[in-house]
Amino acid sequence: MEDTQRPEYDVVVIGGSIAGAATALQLLRGSRGCGCGMGDGCGCAELDKPLRVLVIERQVEFGRRVGESTVELSTYMLTRILGLTRHLNENHIVKQGFRYWFTNPDARDMGKSTEMGGRYLTRVGSFQVDRAELDKEVLRRVEALGGEIWKPANVRSLTLEEGGTQTLTVKVGDEERTVTSRWVVDASGRQAMIARQRGEVEPIKGHPSAAVWARWKNTLDFDSPDTIARFPELGKGMFGTRHTATNHIMGDGWWAWVIPLKNGHTSVGVTWDQRIFKWPRTQGSTLAEQLRSVLETHPVGRALLEDAELIESDVHVRRNLPYQCKTAAGDGFLLVGDAAGFVDPFYSMGLDFLSMTSTSGVDMILTERRGDCIKAKLARHNDMVGKSIPRWFEAIFRDKYFYMGDFELMRIAFLVDIGLYYLGIVRPPYKNGKMAIKDGMFYAKAAKPFYLYMRFVNHRLAALGAERRKRGTFGRRNAGQRMLVPGFAFDSSIVKATARAMIYLLKLELSEGWRCWRPKRGADGSIVLRDKDKPDEMKTPTSLQTAG
């Protein structure tokens, strides 16, 4: 191609938050040689000329957003690939894993609620992040490496040409510009600009979830002397910290996240399955009041918000959470993070999916920029993303809300899900380097047995949950129990956790599982609950009141 016909940019990234900025940063570093010591296999061999990268961001300043809790795989990307360790330690909170709180009518207060989580501090790092600060820092590093930033700017139109030049019309302030590029990276989040333009956004059937969230001041300090004095049960046998964990308040058909932020605010949100939980839409109440009313049905929620003050301008709602995009990449475009799909916020794995789509996509773009054929890598990338989301859903989330409010069932899921996540998803990059992230969610051949076992366990727990509802024993041990585990690491702790879960499951199968080996399933593959087995207040879901 003649220089006069050469696109103005090698890559244009739509969206400057963590998905777009992380991808741009990897591209810029990769085109200069990243110094990772893995040679050509890492996709970062230095190019003849550094890539010309443009990032288009619609906001002048980043606001807060969900995705505030990282887990072990995304932490690997943030620290060992993007080099953000110092920034994370200085500006965010070191996370102390997951913690879960269950209740039933016998749990009169927080001290009587059943608790599940770590006994000690975590051994493999993760963080609670203020997304506005994190997004700003990564984008700053993109600019420092020579990336060009346009903001506030909006893409008005996009014309894709397979294997050719991509053309975008962009409004920058009051000016409209036309720009050309060899590649376009869609990091627009749920807007999913490219997939929607191509008509390829597909809802994930069998998981009609929704979420409402807000941020608060002066919420409960889980570790304060006052809290321990008030609930003395919490002072026994626990040697880590509860407050900086992601605390989960577990309801029937819903759960809430509690995520502390560096400035003293706390992010609190409820996610629910619309088949089995009815959002309270009281006449004249605000969305924030409705959120509070749900949280206060749980003793931990009542304690959490007892002295809390709502940040009035920071209340949000989102419906129909899960979706998948049919094509994750073409010869000239790439979808990363939420622009490629999303399943559920439980377990905080959204940034993991960003890590997978971004790392694989960056390798593909750098390969093409070196002049090599990308046909095989493009096919593999689409196959990886196309299989990762359904496997992620089936192994972890199908009908999970049917049983997640029952401690006896959820403890099995917790041990299996986290243990095999460590073994099949997190361990490979820590052991073999960053390109293992390209193997996606249970996509690698070695990870498939973990997927099959997790899917089996999840399906059995959902069937047991439905049976317990029928027999009136759901949540029978949600009061007065405390399961504190030593933690997870890349050692025998994984085997011990999964073996412990297997024993729990075997006991349940022998005592009650024989009643539900063939649960009734609907056309979408999900278990069908009888109306009389649902929570008393559950009816056909109503439409939500919008925020603001």
Side-chain angles (χ1 to χ4, degrees):
M1 182 179 289
E2 299 292 334
D3 286 345
T4 56
Q5 297 176 307
R6 188 183 182 196
E8 299 164 72
Y9 296 93
D10 296 299
V11 184
V12 171
V13 180
I14 303 172
S17 63
I18 185 65
T23 304
L25 188 58
Q26 290 184 79
L27 286 166
L28 289 165
R29 286 181 174 170
S31 68
R32 290 164 169 78
C34 70
C36 70
M38 295 181 64
D40 291 346
C42 78
C44 296
E46 186 171 359
L47 303 181
D48 292 338
K49 295 180 180 179
L51 291 180
R52 298 160 300 159
V53 176
L54 168 66
V55 179
I56 299 170
E57 169 53 41
R58 62 185 177 86
Q59 295 179 305
V60 177
E61 298 291 339
F62 290 115
R64 284 175 165 173
R65 62 187 71 202
V66 286
E68 297 157 313
S69 184
T70 77
V71 285
E72 289 78 0
L73 183 66
S74 54
T75 300
Y76 178 95
M77 181 190 74
L78 293 172
T79 57
R80 300 201 178 190
I81 296 177
L82 300 185
L84 292 166
T85 302
R86 177 174 291 182
H87 169 79
L88 289 166
N89 278 298
E90 292 177 355
N91 297 279
H92 305 276
I93 293 174
V94 176
K95 174 181 169 182
Q96 293 302 323
F98 294 132
R99 192 162 297 276
Y100 304 85
W101 302 87
F102 301 83
T103 191
N104 65 20
D106 294 329
R108 297 182 301 277
D109 58 35
M110 182 174 176
K112 301 297 188 298
S113 296
T114 286
E115 176 188 9
M116 179 173 70
R119 185 182 297 275
Y120 307 102
L121 298 178
T122 56
R123 298 164 68 184
V124 183
S126 56
F127 294 88
Q128 313 285 26
V129 298
D130 184 323
R131 281 292 304 277
E133 291 299 317
L134 179 63
D135 293 355
K136 181 171 68 175
E137 173 62 18
V138 182
L139 192 59
R140 182 193 69 78
R141 296 187 182 205
V142 170
E143 192 168 26
L145 273 181
E148 189 173 346
I149 315 295
W150 288 358
K151 63 177 185 176
N154 287 284
V155 176
R156 308 302 292 270
S157 67
L158 169 62
T159 302
L160 299 174
E161 181 182 343
E162 186 81 8
T165 297
Q166 323 311 320
T167 305
L168 303 90
T169 302
V170 184
K171 187 173 183 181
V172 186
D174 295 327
E175 177 188 359
E176 192 164 274
R177 305 175 187 175
T178 299
V179 62
T180 57
S181 176
R182 173 63 181 90
W183 286 88
V184 175
V185 174
D186 186 352
S188 63
R190 292 182 64 86
Q191 184 181 351
M193 178 177 292
I194 289 178
R196 293 190 190 280
Q197 179 173 305
R198 292 165 58 91
E200 293 187 347
V201 178
E202 302 171 344
I204 296 177
K205 297 179 180 179
H207 194 56
S209 55
V212 172
W213 68 95
R215 293 173 184 88
W216 309 72
K217 303 176 185 177
N218 304 321
T219 57
L220 176 78
D221 181 344
F222 285 77
D223 299 307
S224 74
D226 289 343
T227 300
I228 302 302
R230 184 178 175 187
F231 308 114
E233 298 92 338
L234 304 185
K236 302 172 183 177
M238 207 298 231
F239 310 114
T241 58
R242 293 182 172 94
H243 189 73
T244 53
T246 295
N247 283 277
H248 297 71
I249 299 172
M250 308 300 289
D252 189 358
W254 64 271
W255 64 277
W257 71 76
V258 182
I259 299 175
L261 303 176
K262 189 79 170 184
N263 64 355
H265 294 174
T266 303
S267 174
V268 184
V270 169
T271 305
W272 71 97
D273 186 321
Q274 298 176 81
R275 296 170 297 180
I276 51 175
F277 179 74
K278 178 185 176 183
W279 186 259
R281 196 180 180 213
T282 308
Q283 184 70 28
S285 64
T286 66
L287 190 62
E289 290 168 341
Q290 295 164 13
L291 172 60
R292 185 165 197 146
S293 73
V294 173
L295 292 165
E296 289 182 341
T297 63
H298 195 294
V300 176
R302 290 195 295 273
L304 176 76
L305 300 181
E306 190 171 44
D307 299 316
E309 177 185 346
L310 175 74
I311 300 174
E312 294 288 348
S313 61
D314 207 354
V315 185
H316 310 271
V317 59
R318 186 168 290 169
R319 308 168 182 82
N320 304 319
L321 298 180
Y323 60 93
Q324 180 174 5
C325 300
K326 185 177 179 181
T327 307
D331 188 356
F333 73 88
L334 168 70
L335 317 182
V336 295
D338 288 359
F342 182 80
V343 180
D344 196 280
F346 198 67
Y347 290 141
S348 304
M349 296 172 75
L351 290 179
D352 280 11
F353 188 57
L354 162 62
S355 304
M356 296 167 186
T357 52
S358 179
T359 302
S360 177
V362 165
D363 175 56
M364 182 172 60
I365 292 174
L366 292 175
T367 297
E368 188 273 337
R369 291 287 78 193
R370 288 198 302 266
D372 297 332
C373 177
I374 62 167
K375 185 176 180 180
K377 289 195 173 187
L378 180 60
R380 184 190 186 280
H381 179 86
N382 278 313
D383 193 48
M384 180 272 288
V385 177
K387 289 179 178 175
S388 288
I389 290 182
R391 289 180 180 179
W392 182 9
F393 171 59
E394 291 290 346
I396 299 176
F397 291 112
R398 181 180 288 281
D399 296 335
K400 198 177 206 77
Y401 287 63
F402 287 11
Y403 69 84
M404 63 164 45
D406 184 296
F407 163 66
E408 286 186 288
L409 302 179
M410 191 58 205
R411 68 179 175 179
I412 298 171
F414 170 69
L415 293 171
V416 171
D417 293 348
I418 304 301
L420 296 188
Y421 166 74
Y422 262 68
L423 192 59
I425 305 298
V426 183
R427 184 173 178 267
Y430 276 98
K431 180 182 178 182
N432 301 319
K434 72 177 187 179
M435 297 316 287
I437 297 176
K438 295 196 306 175
D439 287 336
M441 194 70 68
F442 307 115
Y443 178 71
K445 187 175 181 179
K448 191 172 181 180
F450 305 137
Y451 155 67
L452 293 173
Y453 180 66
M454 290 173 70
R455 184 182 67 175
F456 167 76
V457 171
N458 182 58
H459 286 197
R460 289 303 301 143
L461 293 176
L464 285 162
E467 181 64 24
R468 285 190 163 199
R469 291 174 183 278
K470 186 189 302 183
R471 299 178 63 81
T473 59
F474 189 84
R476 64 184 181 181
R477 293 192 177 174
N478 283 8
Q481 304 291 313
R482 207 160 302 285
M483 188 180 102
L484 302 176
V485 300
F488 296 90
F490 308 129
D491 57 20
S492 61
S493 62
I494 299 173
V495 177
K496 291 176 181 177
T498 52
R500 184 179 179 184
M502 190 179 298
I503 293 170
Y504 287 149
L505 181 59
L506 181 60
K507 288 181 178 179
L508 288 180
E509 292 287 14
L510 293 173
S511 61
E512 56 191 278
W514 54 272
R515 298 189 180 97
C516 56
W517 270 106
R518 293 181 178 274
K520 182 179 179 182
R521 295 187 179 274
D524 62 5
S526 296
I527 291 175
V528 177
L529 286 182
R530 303 180 306 177
D531 284 343
K532 64 181 181 180
D533 296 332
K534 299 175 184 178
D536 292 339
E537 71 278 7
M538 218 300 286
K539 297 179 182 178
T540 302
T542 59
S543 59
L544 290 174
Q545 174 184 328
T546 57

